[in-house]
């Protein structure tokens, strides 16, 4: 009984079509016209980075080429990306959140979790009313709309903000979570990417309810630590805290890039290049006590047209894991025979703790191996700091002329 009374009140606040909405603020007259952000306005080339609701109705998708979007929608309005404005609005909105609680954990540029368990009563009668107040205030102060999920854990709060958009509040409580959450598709759940979705579907598990009803040990056998988390997430047992908004988390990503002395192509060039960049990223993460929760690669061709892909990873600062993710992204999404002029590897969404371990009741063998690798690498980092990078550089990298 007492445990139930201590339920937390977690809000997940998500800006609706953030990039397109921010870009459209100065042009209210375009609001209902199909608009995309991205590409180059003069040449009308490039890709769609974001779109508004009206553009969505034409079937325009993020990452498709501007040229193909113009084919289905000749009247399409193309606005340039404005990175500084996105960051500015992100900051303003998080400051609003911070006036309701000091436990505000941003998740990307346009989403944050708020733990208002101890402060909610100061402003409103319950989480739902507070969500409404925050939505009103964000709209009043910025002109942007947000959707809010209210629940007793972070995973369900996030499902809530996704459930109804735009400009809506969804409460997922102990009373209604089975009705709301269980019919949803497994891929709606946090950290269920394409490969996990496919594997779950192959097991006949399509909904979160089916996942919740699956034997935990079966999921652990199949997916390891991640399987344990999936079971916990689906059953509403997730307990990870909302991290306080502090200066340390200002680090939004840790990246390392290089423009090469010549165009590189082929795996014999690409592998050592990625290894060096991954190592630099890993070193910086370990130095700051951070773990990457995603990996991104950015490729520039000789015309400096850039191409970016990213994926989520289990929390890590082990070079080998970052390298594996970066290589997988590149091989899957890029013709390795095409020339590359510049390459960047970025660790996304760094956290001060390993996200998965914090949810885990026990250490798996896999986790311990990671631990060993991490300790070994920390020792090597110290040697590198003292004697220079070349002291322990791997042979494939030493042979390469790319970084000379
Ligand atoms: Mg959003």
């Amino acid at each position: 009984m007492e445990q139930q009374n201590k339920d937390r009140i977690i809000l997940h606040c998500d800006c609706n079509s953030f990039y397109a909405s921010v870009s459209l603020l100065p042009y209210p007259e375009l609001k209902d016209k199909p608009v995309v952000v991205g590409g180059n306005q003069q040449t009308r080339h490039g890709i769609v980075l974001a779109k508004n609701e009206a553009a969505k109705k034409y079937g325009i998708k993020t990452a498709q080429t501007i040229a193909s979007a113009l084919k289905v929608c000749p009247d399409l309005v193309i606005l340039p990306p404005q990175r500084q404005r996105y960051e500015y609005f992100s900051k303003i909105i998080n400051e609003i959140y911070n006036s309701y609680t000091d436990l505000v954990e941003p998740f990307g540029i346009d989403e944050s979790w708020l733990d208002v368990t101890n402060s909610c009563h100061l402003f409103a009668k319950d989480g739902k009313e507070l969500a409404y107040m925050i939505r009103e205030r964000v709209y009043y102060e910025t002109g942007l709309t947000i959707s809010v999920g209210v629940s007793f854990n972070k995973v369900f709060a996030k499902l809530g903000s996704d459930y109804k958009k735009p400009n809506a509040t969804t409460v997922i409580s102990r009373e209604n979570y089975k009705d709301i959450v269980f019919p949803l598709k497994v891929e709606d759940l946090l950290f269920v990417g394409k490969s996990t979705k496919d594997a779950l579907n192959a097991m006949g598990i399509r909904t979160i309810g089916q996942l919740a009803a699956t034997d935990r040990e079966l999921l652990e056998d199949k997916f390891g630590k991640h399987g344990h988390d999936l079971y916990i997430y689906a059953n509403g047992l997730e307990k990870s805290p909302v991290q306080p908004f502090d200066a340390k988390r200002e680090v939004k990503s840790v990246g390392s890039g290089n423009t090469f002395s010549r165009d590189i192509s082929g795996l014999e060039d690409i592998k050592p290049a990625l290894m060096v960049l991954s190592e630099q990223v890993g070193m910086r993460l370990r130095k700051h006590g951070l773990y990457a929760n995603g990996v991104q690669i950015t490729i520039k061709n000789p015309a400096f047209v850039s191409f970016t892909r990213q994926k989520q990873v289990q929390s890590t600062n082990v070079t080998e894991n970052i390298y594996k993710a970066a290589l997988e992204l590149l091989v899957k999404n890029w013709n390795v025979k095409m020339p590359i002029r510049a390459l960047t590897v970025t660790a996304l969404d760094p956290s001060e703790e390993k996200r998965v371990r914090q949810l885990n009741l026990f250490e798996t063998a896999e986790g311990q191996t990671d631990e060993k690798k991490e300790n070994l690498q920390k020792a090597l980092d110290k040697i590198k700091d003292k004697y220079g990078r070349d002291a322990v550089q791997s042979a494939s990298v030493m042979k390469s002329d790319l970084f000379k």
Side-chain angles (χ1 to χ4, degrees), residues 266-280:
L267 283 175
E268 67 284 4
D269 271 353
I270 289 168
K271 280 183 173 173
L274 282 180
M275 180 50 98
V276 169
L277 298 172
S278 303
E279 172 63 353
Q280 284 165 358

Side-chain angles (χ1 to χ4, degrees), residues 8 36-37 42 49 93 108 177 211 223 236 252 272 274 291 317 320 339 384:
R8 296 176 296 162
V36 296
V37 176
Q42 267 83 49
L49 300 170
I93 290 169
Y177 79 90
L211 179 61
F223 301 100
K252 288 209 178 75
L274 282 180
Y291 297 88
N317 57 21
E320 195 185 316
K384 282 179 212 167

Side-chain angles (χ1 to χ4, degrees), residues 14-17 110-111:
D14 187 0
C15 297
N16 304 128
S17 309
D110 72 328
E111 301 175 24

Side-chain angles (χ1 to χ4, degrees), residues 237-251:
L237 301 170
E238 192 267 336
K239 287 193 175 70
S240 73
V242 173
Q243 301 291 337
F245 193 89
D246 59 22
K248 229 181 166 183
R249 235 171 345 89
E250 289 291 294
V251 191

